[in-house]
Short mmCIF file of all heavy atoms in Angstrom, two decimals:
data_model
loop_
_atom_site.label_atom_id
_atom_site.label_comp_id
_atom_site.label_asym_id
_atom_site.label_seq_id
_atom_site.Cartn_x
_atom_site.Cartn_y
_atom_site.Cartn_z
N CYS A 212 -120.97 -47.63 -0.28
CA CYS A 212 -120.06 -46.51 -0.13
C CYS A 212 -118.65 -47.05 -0.12
O CYS A 212 -118.36 -48.03 0.55
CB CYS A 212 -120.37 -45.75 1.15
SG CYS A 212 -119.28 -44.33 1.40
N ILE A 213 -117.77 -46.40 -0.88
CA ILE A 213 -116.36 -46.76 -0.85
C ILE A 213 -115.55 -45.52 -0.49
O ILE A 213 -115.94 -44.40 -0.82
CB ILE A 213 -115.88 -47.39 -2.18
CG1 ILE A 213 -116.08 -46.44 -3.36
CG2 ILE A 213 -116.61 -48.70 -2.44
CD1 ILE A 213 -115.47 -46.95 -4.64
N GLU A 214 -114.43 -45.72 0.20
CA GLU A 214 -113.61 -44.62 0.69
C GLU A 214 -112.44 -44.26 -0.21
O GLU A 214 -111.68 -43.37 0.10
CB GLU A 214 -113.09 -44.94 2.09
CG GLU A 214 -114.19 -45.04 3.12
CD GLU A 214 -113.67 -45.28 4.52
OE1 GLU A 214 -112.45 -45.53 4.67
OE2 GLU A 214 -114.48 -45.23 5.44
N TYR A 215 -112.28 -44.98 -1.32
CA TYR A 215 -111.18 -44.71 -2.22
C TYR A 215 -111.61 -45.18 -3.62
O TYR A 215 -112.44 -46.07 -3.75
CB TYR A 215 -109.91 -45.44 -1.78
CG TYR A 215 -110.13 -46.91 -1.51
CD1 TYR A 215 -110.06 -47.84 -2.54
CD2 TYR A 215 -110.48 -47.35 -0.24
CE1 TYR A 215 -110.31 -49.19 -2.31
CE2 TYR A 215 -110.73 -48.70 0.00
CZ TYR A 215 -110.64 -49.60 -1.03
OH TYR A 215 -110.89 -50.93 -0.80
N PRO A 216 -111.10 -44.56 -4.69
CA PRO A 216 -111.43 -45.03 -6.03
C PRO A 216 -110.95 -46.46 -6.19
O PRO A 216 -109.85 -46.82 -5.75
CB PRO A 216 -110.64 -44.10 -6.96
CG PRO A 216 -110.17 -42.97 -6.12
CD PRO A 216 -110.14 -43.44 -4.71
N ALA A 217 -111.78 -47.31 -6.78
CA ALA A 217 -111.42 -48.73 -6.89
C ALA A 217 -112.22 -49.38 -8.01
O ALA A 217 -113.24 -48.89 -8.45
CB ALA A 217 -111.70 -49.46 -5.58
N ARG A 218 -111.70 -50.53 -8.43
CA ARG A 218 -112.47 -51.41 -9.31
C ARG A 218 -113.49 -52.10 -8.42
O ARG A 218 -113.14 -52.70 -7.41
CB ARG A 218 -111.59 -52.43 -9.99
CG ARG A 218 -112.37 -53.37 -10.88
CD ARG A 218 -111.46 -54.19 -11.77
NE ARG A 218 -112.23 -55.13 -12.53
CZ ARG A 218 -112.86 -54.85 -13.67
NH1 ARG A 218 -112.78 -53.63 -14.16
NH2 ARG A 218 -113.53 -55.76 -14.32
N VAL A 219 -114.76 -51.99 -8.79
CA VAL A 219 -115.86 -52.50 -7.95
C VAL A 219 -116.62 -53.57 -8.71
O VAL A 219 -116.88 -53.44 -9.91
CB VAL A 219 -116.81 -51.34 -7.55
CG1 VAL A 219 -118.09 -51.86 -6.94
CG2 VAL A 219 -116.10 -50.39 -6.61
N LYS A 220 -116.96 -54.63 -7.98
CA LYS A 220 -117.87 -55.66 -8.47
C LYS A 220 -119.00 -55.76 -7.47
O LYS A 220 -118.74 -55.96 -6.27
CB LYS A 220 -117.18 -57.01 -8.62
CG LYS A 220 -116.24 -57.12 -9.78
CD LYS A 220 -115.69 -58.52 -9.88
CE LYS A 220 -115.45 -58.85 -11.34
NZ LYS A 220 -115.11 -60.26 -11.51
N LEU A 221 -120.22 -55.64 -7.94
CA LEU A 221 -121.40 -55.81 -7.11
C LEU A 221 -122.24 -56.89 -7.77
O LEU A 221 -122.69 -56.71 -8.91
CB LEU A 221 -122.18 -54.50 -6.99
CG LEU A 221 -123.41 -54.52 -6.11
CD1 LEU A 221 -123.02 -54.76 -4.65
CD2 LEU A 221 -124.20 -53.23 -6.23
N SER A 222 -122.40 -58.02 -7.07
CA SER A 222 -123.04 -59.19 -7.68
C SER A 222 -124.06 -59.79 -6.73
O SER A 222 -123.94 -59.66 -5.51
CB SER A 222 -121.99 -60.25 -8.01
OG SER A 222 -120.96 -59.71 -8.79
N ILE A 223 -125.03 -60.51 -7.31
CA ILE A 223 -126.05 -61.23 -6.56
C ILE A 223 -125.85 -62.72 -6.79
O ILE A 223 -125.68 -63.15 -7.94
CB ILE A 223 -127.49 -60.84 -6.99
CG1 ILE A 223 -127.67 -59.32 -6.98
CG2 ILE A 223 -128.52 -61.54 -6.14
CD1 ILE A 223 -127.60 -58.66 -5.64
N TYR A 224 -125.86 -63.49 -5.70
CA TYR A 224 -125.69 -64.94 -5.75
C TYR A 224 -126.90 -65.61 -5.11
O TYR A 224 -127.49 -65.07 -4.16
CB TYR A 224 -124.43 -65.37 -5.00
CG TYR A 224 -123.18 -64.84 -5.63
CD1 TYR A 224 -122.69 -63.57 -5.30
CD2 TYR A 224 -122.48 -65.61 -6.55
CE1 TYR A 224 -121.53 -63.08 -5.89
CE2 TYR A 224 -121.32 -65.12 -7.14
CZ TYR A 224 -120.85 -63.86 -6.81
OH TYR A 224 -119.72 -63.38 -7.39
N ASN A 225 -127.25 -66.80 -5.60
CA ASN A 225 -128.32 -67.57 -4.98
C ASN A 225 -127.76 -68.40 -3.83
O ASN A 225 -126.55 -68.36 -3.55
CB ASN A 225 -129.07 -68.44 -6.00
CG ASN A 225 -128.21 -69.51 -6.62
OD1 ASN A 225 -127.14 -69.85 -6.14
ND2 ASN A 225 -128.68 -70.03 -7.74
N LEU A 226 -128.61 -69.14 -3.17
CA LEU A 226 -128.23 -69.93 -2.01
C LEU A 226 -127.19 -71.00 -2.35
O LEU A 226 -126.38 -71.39 -1.51
CB LEU A 226 -129.47 -70.56 -1.38
CG LEU A 226 -129.35 -71.13 0.00
CD1 LEU A 226 -128.83 -70.10 0.99
CD2 LEU A 226 -130.69 -71.65 0.47
N ALA A 227 -127.18 -71.45 -3.60
CA ALA A 227 -126.22 -72.46 -4.05
C ALA A 227 -124.86 -71.83 -4.39
O ALA A 227 -123.94 -72.54 -4.77
CB ALA A 227 -126.77 -73.23 -5.24
N GLY A 228 -124.74 -70.50 -4.28
CA GLY A 228 -123.50 -69.83 -4.60
C GLY A 228 -123.32 -69.50 -6.06
O GLY A 228 -122.25 -69.10 -6.48
N GLN A 229 -124.39 -69.64 -6.86
CA GLN A 229 -124.31 -69.34 -8.28
C GLN A 229 -124.60 -67.86 -8.53
O GLN A 229 -125.52 -67.29 -7.94
CB GLN A 229 -125.34 -70.18 -9.04
CG GLN A 229 -125.11 -71.66 -8.90
CD GLN A 229 -126.32 -72.46 -9.33
OE1 GLN A 229 -127.45 -72.10 -9.05
NE2 GLN A 229 -126.06 -73.57 -10.02
N LEU A 230 -123.82 -67.25 -9.40
CA LEU A 230 -124.02 -65.85 -9.78
C LEU A 230 -125.35 -65.74 -10.53
O LEU A 230 -125.57 -66.46 -11.52
CB LEU A 230 -122.88 -65.38 -10.67
CG LEU A 230 -122.99 -63.97 -11.22
CD1 LEU A 230 -122.86 -62.94 -10.10
CD2 LEU A 230 -121.91 -63.75 -12.28
N VAL A 231 -126.25 -64.86 -10.08
CA VAL A 231 -127.53 -64.67 -10.76
C VAL A 231 -127.66 -63.29 -11.37
O VAL A 231 -128.48 -63.07 -12.26
CB VAL A 231 -128.73 -64.98 -9.84
CG1 VAL A 231 -128.72 -66.44 -9.42
CG2 VAL A 231 -128.78 -64.06 -8.64
N ALA A 232 -126.84 -62.33 -10.91
CA ALA A 232 -126.88 -60.98 -11.48
C ALA A 232 -125.56 -60.27 -11.20
O ALA A 232 -125.07 -60.29 -10.07
CB ALA A 232 -128.03 -60.17 -10.90
N ALA A 233 -124.99 -59.66 -12.23
CA ALA A 233 -123.80 -58.83 -12.08
C ALA A 233 -124.26 -57.38 -12.27
O ALA A 233 -124.64 -56.99 -13.38
CB ALA A 233 -122.74 -59.20 -13.10
N LEU A 234 -124.27 -56.59 -11.20
CA LEU A 234 -124.84 -55.25 -11.25
C LEU A 234 -123.81 -54.16 -11.55
O LEU A 234 -124.12 -53.18 -12.22
CB LEU A 234 -125.55 -54.94 -9.93
CG LEU A 234 -126.64 -55.93 -9.52
CD1 LEU A 234 -127.20 -55.56 -8.16
CD2 LEU A 234 -127.74 -55.98 -10.57
N VAL A 235 -122.60 -54.31 -11.04
CA VAL A 235 -121.53 -53.35 -11.29
C VAL A 235 -120.25 -54.12 -11.51
O VAL A 235 -119.97 -55.08 -10.80
CB VAL A 235 -121.34 -52.39 -10.07
CG1 VAL A 235 -120.17 -51.45 -10.30
CG2 VAL A 235 -122.61 -51.60 -9.78
N ASP A 236 -119.48 -53.70 -12.51
CA ASP A 236 -118.17 -54.31 -12.75
C ASP A 236 -117.33 -53.27 -13.47
O ASP A 236 -117.33 -53.18 -14.70
CB ASP A 236 -118.30 -55.58 -13.59
CG ASP A 236 -116.97 -56.32 -13.72
OD1 ASP A 236 -115.96 -55.85 -13.15
OD2 ASP A 236 -116.95 -57.36 -14.40
N GLY A 237 -116.63 -52.45 -12.69
CA GLY A 237 -115.81 -51.42 -13.29
C GLY A 237 -115.27 -50.45 -12.25
O GLY A 237 -115.48 -50.61 -11.05
N SER A 238 -114.60 -49.41 -12.72
CA SER A 238 -114.01 -48.40 -11.85
C SER A 238 -115.09 -47.50 -11.28
O SER A 238 -115.99 -47.06 -12.01
CB SER A 238 -113.00 -47.56 -12.61
OG SER A 238 -111.95 -48.38 -13.04
N VAL A 239 -114.99 -47.23 -9.97
CA VAL A 239 -115.98 -46.39 -9.28
C VAL A 239 -115.24 -45.38 -8.44
O VAL A 239 -114.21 -45.68 -7.83
CB VAL A 239 -116.90 -47.27 -8.39
CG1 VAL A 239 -117.84 -46.42 -7.58
CG2 VAL A 239 -117.69 -48.25 -9.25
N GLU A 240 -115.74 -44.16 -8.41
CA GLU A 240 -115.15 -43.08 -7.62
C GLU A 240 -115.55 -43.18 -6.16
O GLU A 240 -116.51 -43.87 -5.81
CB GLU A 240 -115.57 -41.72 -8.19
CG GLU A 240 -115.02 -41.43 -9.57
CD GLU A 240 -113.50 -41.37 -9.58
OE1 GLU A 240 -112.90 -40.79 -8.65
OE2 GLU A 240 -112.88 -41.94 -10.51
N VAL A 241 -114.85 -42.47 -5.30
CA VAL A 241 -115.14 -42.39 -3.88
C VAL A 241 -116.56 -41.87 -3.66
O VAL A 241 -117.04 -41.02 -4.40
CB VAL A 241 -114.14 -41.42 -3.19
CG1 VAL A 241 -114.52 -41.17 -1.74
CG2 VAL A 241 -112.74 -41.94 -3.30
N GLY A 242 -117.24 -42.41 -2.63
CA GLY A 242 -118.53 -41.86 -2.25
C GLY A 242 -119.63 -42.89 -2.19
O GLY A 242 -119.41 -44.10 -2.21
N ASN A 243 -120.85 -42.34 -2.11
CA ASN A 243 -122.07 -43.15 -2.01
C ASN A 243 -122.62 -43.44 -3.40
O ASN A 243 -122.63 -42.56 -4.26
CB ASN A 243 -123.14 -42.42 -1.21
CG ASN A 243 -122.71 -42.21 0.23
OD1 ASN A 243 -122.31 -43.15 0.90
ND2 ASN A 243 -122.77 -40.97 0.69
N HIS A 244 -123.07 -44.68 -3.59
CA HIS A 244 -123.62 -45.11 -4.88
C HIS A 244 -124.86 -45.96 -4.62
O HIS A 244 -125.00 -46.55 -3.55
CB HIS A 244 -122.58 -45.92 -5.65
CG HIS A 244 -121.28 -45.20 -5.83
ND1 HIS A 244 -121.06 -44.33 -6.87
CD2 HIS A 244 -120.15 -45.20 -5.09
CE1 HIS A 244 -119.83 -43.83 -6.76
NE2 HIS A 244 -119.26 -44.36 -5.69
N SER A 245 -125.73 -46.05 -5.61
CA SER A 245 -126.89 -46.93 -5.48
C SER A 245 -127.19 -47.59 -6.82
O SER A 245 -126.92 -47.02 -7.89
CB SER A 245 -128.13 -46.19 -4.97
OG SER A 245 -128.56 -45.24 -5.91
N VAL A 246 -127.72 -48.81 -6.75
CA VAL A 246 -128.05 -49.61 -7.92
C VAL A 246 -129.40 -50.27 -7.66
O VAL A 246 -129.65 -50.74 -6.55
CB VAL A 246 -126.97 -50.70 -8.16
CG1 VAL A 246 -127.35 -51.59 -9.33
CG2 VAL A 246 -125.61 -50.09 -8.39
N ALA A 247 -130.24 -50.33 -8.67
CA ALA A 247 -131.52 -51.03 -8.54
C ALA A 247 -131.36 -52.46 -9.03
O ALA A 247 -130.68 -52.71 -10.03
CB ALA A 247 -132.60 -50.32 -9.36
N TRP A 248 -131.97 -53.39 -8.30
CA TRP A 248 -131.99 -54.79 -8.73
C TRP A 248 -133.44 -55.19 -8.91
O TRP A 248 -134.23 -55.16 -7.96
CB TRP A 248 -131.33 -55.71 -7.71
CG TRP A 248 -131.35 -57.17 -8.10
CD1 TRP A 248 -131.07 -57.69 -9.33
CD2 TRP A 248 -131.71 -58.28 -7.28
NE1 TRP A 248 -131.22 -59.06 -9.32
CE2 TRP A 248 -131.61 -59.45 -8.07
CE3 TRP A 248 -132.11 -58.41 -5.95
CZ2 TRP A 248 -131.89 -60.72 -7.57
CZ3 TRP A 248 -132.38 -59.67 -5.45
CH2 TRP A 248 -132.27 -60.81 -6.27
N ASN A 249 -133.81 -55.54 -10.14
CA ASN A 249 -135.15 -56.02 -10.44
C ASN A 249 -135.19 -57.51 -10.24
O ASN A 249 -134.62 -58.27 -11.03
CB ASN A 249 -135.53 -55.66 -11.89
CG ASN A 249 -136.92 -56.10 -12.23
OD1 ASN A 249 -137.60 -56.77 -11.46
ND2 ASN A 249 -137.38 -55.71 -13.41
N ALA A 250 -135.85 -57.96 -9.18
CA ALA A 250 -135.89 -59.38 -8.82
C ALA A 250 -137.18 -60.05 -9.27
O ALA A 250 -137.49 -61.15 -8.81
CB ALA A 250 -135.73 -59.52 -7.30
N SER A 251 -137.92 -59.41 -10.17
CA SER A 251 -139.23 -59.96 -10.57
C SER A 251 -139.11 -61.31 -11.26
O SER A 251 -140.05 -62.10 -11.21
CB SER A 251 -139.98 -58.95 -11.46
OG SER A 251 -139.23 -58.70 -12.62
N GLY A 252 -138.01 -61.62 -11.88
CA GLY A 252 -137.86 -62.90 -12.56
C GLY A 252 -137.25 -64.01 -11.68
O GLY A 252 -136.99 -65.10 -12.16
N PHE A 253 -137.05 -63.72 -10.42
CA PHE A 253 -136.40 -64.67 -9.52
C PHE A 253 -137.40 -65.29 -8.55
O PHE A 253 -138.40 -64.67 -8.19
CB PHE A 253 -135.29 -63.97 -8.73
CG PHE A 253 -134.17 -63.48 -9.59
CD1 PHE A 253 -134.21 -62.22 -10.17
CD2 PHE A 253 -133.08 -64.28 -9.85
CE1 PHE A 253 -133.20 -61.76 -10.98
CE2 PHE A 253 -132.05 -63.83 -10.66
CZ PHE A 253 -132.10 -62.58 -11.23
N SER A 254 -137.12 -66.53 -8.13
CA SER A 254 -138.01 -67.21 -7.20
C SER A 254 -137.72 -66.78 -5.76
O SER A 254 -136.65 -66.27 -5.45
CB SER A 254 -137.87 -68.73 -7.34
OG SER A 254 -136.55 -69.12 -7.04
#
């Protein structure tokens, strides 16, 4: 949830700090949002 319109980045990182998935990267409006992450290919 964000309280103001903003450029949003939602990312997943592994324990080593490496980016493993970029789920959102763009402008998002105020409010509640949800994103699915399929982790079936991850250890």
Side-chain angles (χ1 to χ4, degrees):
C212 180
I213 59 173
E214 294 183 352
Y215 50 87
R218 179 168 176 83
V219 169
K220 285 184 148 189
L221 182 66
S222 307
I223 308 294
Y224 296 86
N225 64 16
L226 195 55
Q229 299 165 319
L230 176 68
V231 297
L234 304 176
V235 176
D236 187 1
S238 297
V239 175
E240 293 298 318
V241 172
N243 296 308
H244 305 274
S245 66
V246 176
W248 179 46
N249 181 354
S251 61
F253 296 88
S254 61

